[in-house]
């Protein structure tokens, strides 16, 4: 597996050389990126000699963040999502840049361009580590889904004792292996996932639709495939790339989505209905474009088939997860949908809140399972939420298997 090792400018930078070695022993191909400050503590030559790769030292040494990512993908032929950025030591300065989106050198620019797993191992003086500004930045990064390897307590280079010391390189390497190990816990499952909106034609050039971007459903599909499932993604009209290893079936209308889902239902062991299906469709849309001849016009709409309810009626032993996009009464609405549509769990989100839900890259959800209390998932990038949803699906699977 490919890993980018970002080295920040702290006294612990010397330990990063040993870390590079420990990572290689664990099978990682290491690309080192050093900040200007890091080069005051240790030379790029050390890392180049250890890793066998040219070290990236600045924004202007001929490489861009995109080219590093692109060439790494090419080298290991793995999906970008499977890559890892490990920053050790992560100084207070780097944490502040990452938390606030400042991109003024190669490492901070790479951080913003990076879509894979991010692991940060902070190291600094105890007073700095405990400062509210640093605490706030660390909380922000953690909430964003970055993994933080907390510093050790002990005697620091500055002579004080307390938390702030970079943990042993062997420990950081072991933690990195653990975090990046791809869980294959969906092996043997076939998951049918719906995503995106549907479009209901008014005439050949117009349609009724909604604001769903499909990002949440695509993130669930990507995560399920990564975790070993066979994934059939029934996608409404969205502008998103098919995740690696996923079989995609493109549809437009609710009726087409229903047909695609029902056609694949016999193979499915899990059905996750993230799509925002139009509840109404236009009755008998004309074959020709409607002309602007009327002073006022109205369109008759008739209900679409409720796909989730139909799957619920034919559920068998499958696990069925519905979604509820609400502007109010989230938990009670999610519970009502779970009962009426025979789901095992409903994932609810408040779509009226800025920054989460439709179209955004982050989400905040409440999972309402059939048995047990609702679980709140804190705001996080959709891929993080996707994996949390899958973790809960597995819990249901285990409970079903053990007869609970
Ligand atoms: N759904 C579906 N078919 C439909 C409408 C909705 O399969 N025709 C599914 C969605 O994919 C989602 C769940 O039902 O998983 C809830 O969708 P939502 O639109 O929130 O619920 P509705 O049942 O349409 O209820 P309401 O519009 O009254 O909130």
């Amino acid at each position: 597996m490919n890993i980018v090792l970002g080295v920040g400018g702290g006294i612990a930078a010397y330990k990063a050389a040993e870390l590079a070695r420990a990572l290689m022993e664990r099978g990682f191909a290491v690309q080192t990126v050093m900040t200007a400050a890091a080069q005051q503590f240790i030379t790029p030559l050390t890392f180049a000699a250890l890793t066998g790769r040219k070290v990236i030292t600045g924004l202007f040494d001929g490489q861009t963040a995109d080219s590093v990512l692109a060439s790494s993908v090419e080298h290991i032929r793995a999906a970008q999502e499977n890559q890892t950025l490990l920053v050790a030591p992560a100084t207070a300065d780097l944490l502040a840049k990452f938390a606030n989106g400042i991109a003024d050198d190669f490492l901070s620019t790479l951080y913003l361009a990076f879509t894979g797993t991010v692991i940060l191992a902070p190291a600094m003086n105890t007073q700095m580590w405990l400062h509210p500004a640093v605490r706030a930045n660390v909380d922000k990064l953690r909430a964003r889904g970055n993994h933080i390897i907390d510093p050790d307590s002990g005697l620091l280079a500055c002579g004080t004792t307390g938390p702030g010391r970079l943990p042993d390189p062997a420990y950081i390497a072991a933690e990195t292996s653990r975090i990046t190990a791809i869980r294959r816990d969906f092996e043997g499952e076939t998951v049918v996932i719906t995503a995106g909106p549907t479009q209901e034609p008014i005439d050949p050039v117009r349609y009724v639709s909604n604001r769903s971007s499909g990002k949440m459903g695509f993130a669930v599909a990507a995560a399920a495939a990564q975790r070993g499932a066979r994934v059939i993604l029934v996608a409404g009209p969205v502008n998103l790339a098919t995740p690696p290893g996923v079989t995609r079936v493109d549809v437009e209308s609710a009726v087409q989505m229903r047909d695609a889902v029902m056609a694949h239902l016999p193979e499915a062991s899990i059905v996750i209905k993230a799509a925002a299906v139009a509840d109404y469709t236009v009755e008998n849309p004309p074959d020709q474009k409607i002309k602007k001849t009327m002073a006022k016009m109205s369109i008759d709409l008739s209900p679409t088939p409720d796909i989730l309810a139909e799957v619920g009626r034919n559920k068998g032993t499958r696990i069925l997860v519905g979604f509820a996009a609400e502007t109010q009464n989230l938990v009670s609405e999610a519970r009502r949908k779970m009962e009426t549509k025979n789901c095992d769990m409903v994932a609810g989100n408040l779509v009226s809140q800025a920054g989460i839900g439709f179209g955004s890259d982050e989400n905040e959800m409440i999972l309402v399972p059939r048995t047990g209390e609702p679980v709140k998932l804190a705001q996080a990038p959709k891929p993080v939420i996707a994996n949390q949803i899958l973790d809960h699906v597995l819990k249901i699977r285990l409970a079903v298997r053990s007869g609970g």
Side-chain angles (χ1 to χ4, degrees), residues 20-21 29-31 46 57 60 84 103 107 165 196 278-279 321-322 325 336:
R21 217 196 172 103
V30 181
Q31 168 66 63
T46 309
T57 50
F60 305 108
T84 305
L107 188 54
R165 201 167 68 172
D279 287 330
V321 179
R336 183 179 66 78

Side-chain angles (χ1 to χ4, degrees), residues 273 275 277-279 304-308 322-326 337 341:
K273 288 232 62 243
V277 186
D279 287 330
T304 53
D306 191 320
I307 311 167
L308 185 57
F323 273 58
E326 306 293 341
K337 285 173 192 183
K341 305 191 191 198

Side-chain angles (χ1 to χ4, degrees), residues 124-127 153-163 165:
M124 63 198 73
N125 158 283
T126 301
Q127 296 311 326
S153 279
L155 183 65
L156 299 174
C158 54
T160 58
T161 304
R165 201 167 68 172

